[in-house]
Amino acid sequence: MTLANVFFPSWSLFTSSLSINRWWATSECTVACMAMFTPSQTQMEPREQEPPSLSPALSIRWWSKETVAVVTGANKGIGFALVKKLAHLGLTVVLTARDAERGGQAAESLRAQGLVDVHFSVLDVSDPVSIDAFVSWFRNHFTALDILVNNAAVSFNDIHENSVDNAELVVKTNFYGSKLLTEALLPMFRRSPSIGRILNVSSRLGSVNKVRNPNMGRMLQGEDLTEEHIEAMVGSFLEDVRKGTWKSQGWPEVWTDYAVSKLALNAYTKVLATRYDGCGLSANCFCPGFTQTSMTGGKGTRTADEAAEVGAMIALLPPENLPTGKFFMGCNPVINSKL
Ligand code: NDP
């Protein structure tokens, strides 16, 4: 019995029945459902959460072809792998990408594999006009949304670099892009017992323990955290970048601009989860771990397909086991968070 079986027995049943490669269950790894920014948190790293309580009558496969998922930044990397996995599992998936040609080819390559329920639309999450156009397109093609995976992100640093030359674009894409798209799509979520799901692909580099400014840390962990606090934090970081003081203000030390963008995304997820608690909508974060994609220059301890397998598992948790406001860590016995 692995921890994955303990946390998600219904998923294990389901995946074994479909002969999916359960890499997280066959290694010694733990699929850890981590509490995010809990006020009582005393440890530096996110705290391991108690296993969700499991009902004996689990719905194993709650979704169907009518279940609609949107994945951003999905022309390559983890986003592409997630679209492929979700489509393989029988959902209707909208692959989005900022570049029409790259995105169209990616979607076509999946349809050519028989995944006919993969659709494509252009979406540049850093551009509010593109978000508006996408939401209109979505409304015209679908009646409702079940799953939103905010995956699109940028980083302009090689693994051991820490330039903030592109900090504004990093924050605009990774935090504001996900936030604006989420807010624009909120009215489209299906009201159903299966619960709407927002999965923000984040990073442990954006864990609150990476912030060395104690006031900032307290604010992020506070029960009264608001969107205004988060935007003020992001504004303060960008101001430090403009003034050239960002190194001495206690911001995360690794991939600082990217880490701040993910810190803000994690905090926003917590605010969203609180806002919709008990209202049929869950919001969680998922750190895929060090994954071989363009973002890491191909380095990493797992493939995009392996990371996507865990991401899909979290996105498809049975409604009765679906938490909200949690930070899920990718699973691997050798986790290396120094991207
Ligand atoms: P990739 O660089 O392979 O993929 C990033 C994707 O985001 C690309 O499709 C890219 O499109 C797209 N994108 C970038 N900017 C925009 C934009 N403005 N609008 C729409 N799409 C955009 O990276 P990964 O697959 O590794 O990253 C996926 C997610 O996983 C990210 O959120 C990342 O932060 C997270 N992550 C990754 C880790 C890793 O080790 N790889 C570790 C922890 C988290 P284009 O091809 O046009 O550039």
Side-chain angles (χ1 to χ4, degrees), residues 45 74 212 219 236 256 291:
E45 289 295 330
R212 289 161 301 124
M219 182 272 285
S236 152
T256 302
T291 307

Side-chain angles (χ1 to χ4, degrees), residues 1-13 15 22-32 51-52 54 310 313 317 331:
M1 174 70 75
T2 65
L3 279 179
N5 296 120
V6 174
F7 283 128
F8 309 118
S10 59
W11 177 267
S12 303
L13 276 174
T15 52
R22 290 183 296 134
W23 65 276
W24 69 86
T26 51
S27 69
E28 293 166 26
C29 69
T30 58
V31 177
L54 304 168
V310 180
M313 175 183 75
L317 279 170
C331 127

Side-chain angles (χ1 to χ4, degrees), residues 73 75-78 98 102 123-126 151-154 173 201-203 258 262 288-291 293-296 339:
N75 53 294
K76 65 181 180 183
I78 296 166
R98 60 178 161 179
R102 288 196 291 272
L123 171 59
D124 180 340
V125 299
S126 68
N151 166 80
V154 286
T173 306
V201 184
S202 190
S203 167
Y258 174 87
K262 296 296 191 179
F290 190 33
T291 307
T293 65
S294 310
M295 189 171 278
T296 60
L339 292 175

